[in-house]
Amino acid sequence: MKKMTKGAIVTGLGVALLLGGGGTLAVWNDSVESNAGTLASGNLDLEAKPGVWTNGQGEKITVESYRVVPGEMLTYTQVVNPTLDGDKLQATLEVTGVETLKAHNSKNITVTEPTLTNAEGQVLPSTVLTKANTEDQPVTASTTFAFSLDADKQENTKDTWDFSEIGYYLEQQAPTS
Amino acid sequence: MRITAQLKAAALIGLAAVVGLLGVGGTWALWNAVVPSAAGTVQAADFKITLNEADMAVAGTAVQVTPAGPSGPLTPGAPVYAALTVANHTDAGTPMPVIAAVAAPRITQASVPALKNALTAQVSAPTSGDCTQARYTEANTGTSATIPQDESRRFCLRMSLRDGASTTLRGQCATVAVDVTATQQSPGA
C-alpha cells in the first residue's frame, strides 16, 4: 500500500511538472491580420460666401443704405460652395425663395429668377453635382433687379423689396446601386 | 372558427407592418443642406424736390411767392421781381439730377381785363445774383435747368407794366401763375 501511495505521488508530480511547462503541449498554429481598414463616411455641405450688390455702373453698393431710382439695374452676385465628399455622392442644387422674388414683379419692377452657374455653364436644379464637378469649382448665383424708367409721377418712391428669402438647397440624390 | 382566427392574425400582422413602415418614413431622407443668401432688402429713393423750401407734391403744390425787389406798387417802367428756388434733395444712391422746367408765366386772374393785356411776366435763366440783373427770356417762353443732387437753382420772375399803360389800371391786381416741373434724369445721364 505504501508503495502504491508513493507511486501515485510520483505520477502526480510528473503530471504537474508537465502542466507547468505548458508550452510543451503546443501544436502548430499561425495568424494573419485582415487589413480591413476603417470605414469613413463622406460629407455634404454648402457654404454661401457674402453676396455682393452692384449698380448699373458695376460699383459695389451697400444695399442697406443705397436708394434705387427708376432707370437703374442692380445685380446680386453670390458664390456658393457645395462640398460633395463621397465616391458615389451625387446632389442637386437649387435656389429657394423664388416665389417671393416673383411677387416683386410689377409694372415698374422686374426681378429675374436667380441663376446658378459654374465653370461648365448654368447649373439647373436637375443638374447632378458630384465631387468631380464641384471640387474647387464654386457655383455663382446671380439675380437682377430692374427699375423701369416708365415709373410715372412718384410711383414706387420709398418702396422696399425684400430679397432675404433667397436661399440655396443642396440635396443628395439616392445612390443608383 | 379556426380559419377566422387565422385571418384576424394575418390582418393584424399586415396592419402592424404598414404602421411600422409609416413610422420609419424618415429613413427616406437623404443628406441635404440649406444656406440663406442674406441678400437684404432693396429700397427705392424718395423724390424730394422743393420749391422755395416747400415740398413739391405729385398733384402739384401751390406756393405763394411775394414779389420782392423794388418796393412799392407796380408802375410802368418799374418792374417788380420774385424768386423761385428749386432744390433737389433726393436721397438716391446714385447721382440723380433732375430737370427743372419753369413754364412761361401766365396771368390767370386780373381784376380788370385791360390789366391782363398791359402786364408782362417773364422768367429768367438760373441766376445767383440780384433778380434785377438777371437775363430774362422773351415773354411767353419758359426756361429749364439741370439740378444735380443736393443742389438748387434760383429762377427770377419779372413783372412789368407796359409803358403807357392806362391810368385806369391804378389800384388793380392780377395773379401770375408759373408752372414748375421737376423730372428725373436717367441715372448716369
Side-chain angles (χ1 to χ4, degrees):
Chain A
M1 187 69 174
K2 197 173 181 181
K3 282 184 179 177
M4 286 180 67
T5 303
K6 286 179 181 175
I9 291 170
V10 171
T11 303
L13 185 60
V15 169
L17 286 170
L18 284 171
L19 289 172
T24 59
L25 287 175
V27 293
W28 282 351
N29 62 75
D30 194 4
S31 66
V32 291
E33 292 182 358
S34 69
N35 289 326
T38 304
L39 282 176
S41 61
N43 185 28
L44 178 147
D45 199 8
L46 187 60
E47 176 198 28
K49 297 285 186 184
V52 174
W53 280 100
T54 53
N55 63 13
Q57 287 73 47
E59 300 163 337
K60 183 179 175 182
I61 63 169
T62 303
V63 74
E64 289 80 10
S65 58
Y66 194 86
R67 298 294 182 267
V68 65
V69 300
E72 278 198 280
M73 176 180 281
L74 304 183
T75 303
Y76 184 70
T77 307
Q78 186 163 37
V79 172
V80 181
N81 287 322
T83 298
L84 296 174
D85 184 11
D87 291 72
K88 295 293 184 183
L89 184 56
Q90 297 181 331
T92 57
L93 179 65
E94 62 180 279
V95 179
T96 60
V98 175
E99 292 305 315
T100 62
L101 295 188
K102 288 180 179 174
H104 292 330
N105 287 315
S106 64
K107 169 179 168 282
N108 300 320
I109 305 299
T110 303
V111 177
T112 60
E113 196 166 322
T115 58
L116 298 170
T117 309
N118 64 8
E120 297 173 354
Q122 191 166 346
V123 177
L124 302 171
S126 59
T127 303
V128 176
L129 300 175
T130 62
K131 182 177 182 178
N133 66 13
T134 56
E135 202 166 36
D136 299 324
Q137 295 183 51
V139 174
T140 301
S142 180
T143 187
T144 60
F145 171 94
F147 200 158
S148 170
L149 277 172
D150 293 335
D152 193 21
K153 300 185 185 300
Q154 293 185 21
E155 290 175 341
N156 298 115
T157 54
K158 301 180 184 178
D159 275 0
T160 59
W161 298 271
D162 187 2
F163 281 71
S164 62
E165 291 298 315
I166 298 177
Y168 309 100
Y169 180 63
L170 182 67
E171 183 181 43
Q172 179 197 355
Q173 300 300 292
T176 52
S177 59
Chain B
M1 187 68 178
R2 190 176 175 188
I3 293 173
T4 307
Q6 286 178 339
L7 284 173
K8 284 181 179 175
L12 278 173
I13 292 169
L15 184 62
V18 169
V19 170
L21 285 172
L22 290 174
V24 297
T27 57
W28 288 108
L30 296 167
W31 281 349
N32 60 76
V34 179
V35 291
S37 68
T41 300
V42 173
Q43 300 174 73
D46 61 16
F47 191 67
K48 187 176 174 63
I49 307 296
T50 62
L51 174 60
N52 287 3
E53 299 184 352
D55 285 343
M56 292 176 71
V58 176
T61 302
V63 177
Q64 298 287 337
V65 179
T66 304
S71 58
L74 178 63
T75 56
V80 294
Y81 302 88
L84 297 174
T85 301
V86 183
N88 176 0
H89 294 302
T90 58
D91 63 352
T94 192
M96 191 193 78
V98 297
I99 296 177
V102 181
R106 295 173 290 119
I107 299 162
T108 56
Q109 293 176 20
S111 54
V112 292
L115 179 58
K116 196 170 184 178
N117 297 327
L119 188 60
T120 300
Q122 295 165 282
V123 63
S124 78
T127 179
S128 57
D130 192 328
C131 281
T132 59
Q133 306 299 317
R135 181 169 49 87
Y136 288 88
T137 62
E138 295 294 319
N140 301 318
T141 59
T143 186
S144 66
T146 297
I147 306 176
Q149 195 169 352
D150 298 325
E151 292 189 22
S152 63
R153 292 291 181 270
R154 181 168 170 268
F155 302 88
C156 288
L157 293 175
R158 179 173 67 185
M159 289 146 284
S160 57
L161 265 182
R162 198 175 58 235
D163 288 343
S166 171
T167 54
T168 59
L169 299 180
R170 288 177 182 168
Q172 302 301 321
C173 61
T175 299
V176 177
V178 182
D179 294 330
V180 180
T181 307
T183 306
Q184 177 208 348
Q185 279 194 296
S186 297

